[in-house]
Amino acid sequence: MNVAIIMGSDSDWSIMKSAVQILDKFQIDFEITVASAHRTPEKVRNFVESAQNAGAKIFIAAAGCAAHLAGVVASYTTRPVIGVPISSEPLKGFDALLSTVQMPGGIPVATMAVNGAKNAALFAAEILAINDEILSQRLADYRTNMKAEIDDKDSKIKKAAADCNFKI
Ligand code: RP5
C-alpha cells in the first residue's frame, strides 16, 4: 500500500472520490478511512501508525471546517502529508484552507487548493514517480493527453467563435 487517505467525515467523499479515481487510473494502491482529528483522535493516531507499518509512503488528509486533520496526521509521521481543505458552510472552505495550510514550522503539510482532491492524488503520484519509471511514464502520458484535450477545446472554441462571425 503506497498511499493512505484519511477523511474527517463521510461527507468529504463526494470531493475525495476524484483522488481515488486518479490513484486508480495510475494503478497506485491505497487505503482509505474516515477518522476525525476532533471526534476520534485515537482512531487517527492508530490509522497513521498502522498505515505507516503497512508501507504507506504518503498520506492524503482531507477535512472541512476547523480542519486540523492533516496537521495532526503530520504530527504522527515523517512521511509526506498532503492536505485537502474541504469546502463547507458557512465559510466555503476558507476556514479549512487556513487551518490546513498555516502549519507551525517543523511539521509541514503540502496543502492543495480548496477541494483539490485530484491534484492531491497527482502530487502523490509525482512523489512516488521519483523512484518509479513506469509511473513516471504514465504521468508523462497523462500530460500529453491533457495537451491534446486542450488543443481539441481550442479548435472547438475557434470554430464556435467563427460561427458567431468574429475572430479570437
Ligand atoms: C470535518 O467536518 C469533516 O472533514 C467534514 O468536512 C466537516 C463536516 O463533517 P460532518 O458534520 O458532515 O460529519 O471534520
Side-chain angles (χ1 to χ4, degrees):
M1 192 255 300
N2 274 311
V3 176
I5 303 175
I6 181 166
M7 306 185 297
S9 173
D10 63 344
S11 61
D12 301 322
W13 171 245
S14 62
I15 299 298
M16 289 311 293
K17 68 182 172 194
S18 38
V20 166
Q21 283 163 348
I22 289 287
L23 294 177
D24 193 51
K25 178 182 180 68
F26 285 98
Q27 298 172 44
I28 296 168
D29 53 331
F30 64 90
E31 186 180 345
I32 187 163
T33 198
V34 172
S36 162
H38 305 118
R39 294 165 174 161
T40 61
E42 278 305 312
K43 185 178 179 188
V44 172
R45 182 177 193 159
N46 291 338
F47 175 74
V48 174
E49 288 174 356
S50 69
Q52 189 160 310
N53 287 338
K57 297 186 177 75
I58 300 166
F59 287 85
I60 296 175
C65 304
H68 300 120
L69 184 60
V72 169
V73 169
S75 76
Y76 291 132
T77 181
T78 55
R79 303 276 156 83
V81 176
I82 303 170
V84 182
I86 301 289
S87 174
S88 64
E89 295 298 331
L91 300 183
K92 319 282 188 202
F94 194 49
D95 43 359
L97 174 63
L98 296 184
S99 304
T100 305
V101 77
Q102 289 290 45
M103 287 297 294
I107 307 291
V109 168
T111 304
M112 302 291 108
V114 171
N115 294 345
K118 181 177 182 178
N119 274 1
L122 285 168
F123 194 53
E126 289 175 356
I127 295 170
L128 293 169
I130 292 169
N131 289 316
D132 184 333
E133 282 184 20
I134 294 171
L135 184 53
S136 188
Q137 186 56 53
R138 285 190 195 126
L139 282 164
D141 293 344
Y142 180 77
R143 292 277 177 106
T144 302
N145 289 340
M146 204 160 45
K147 180 179 176 302
E149 283 170 18
I150 293 294
D151 288 344
D152 186 46
K153 288 175 183 174
D154 183 43
S155 303
K156 284 181 178 149
I157 285 296
K158 284 193 167 74
K159 184 175 180 323
D163 289 347
C164 289
N165 291 322
F166 66 86
K167 299 242 183 283
I168 288 180

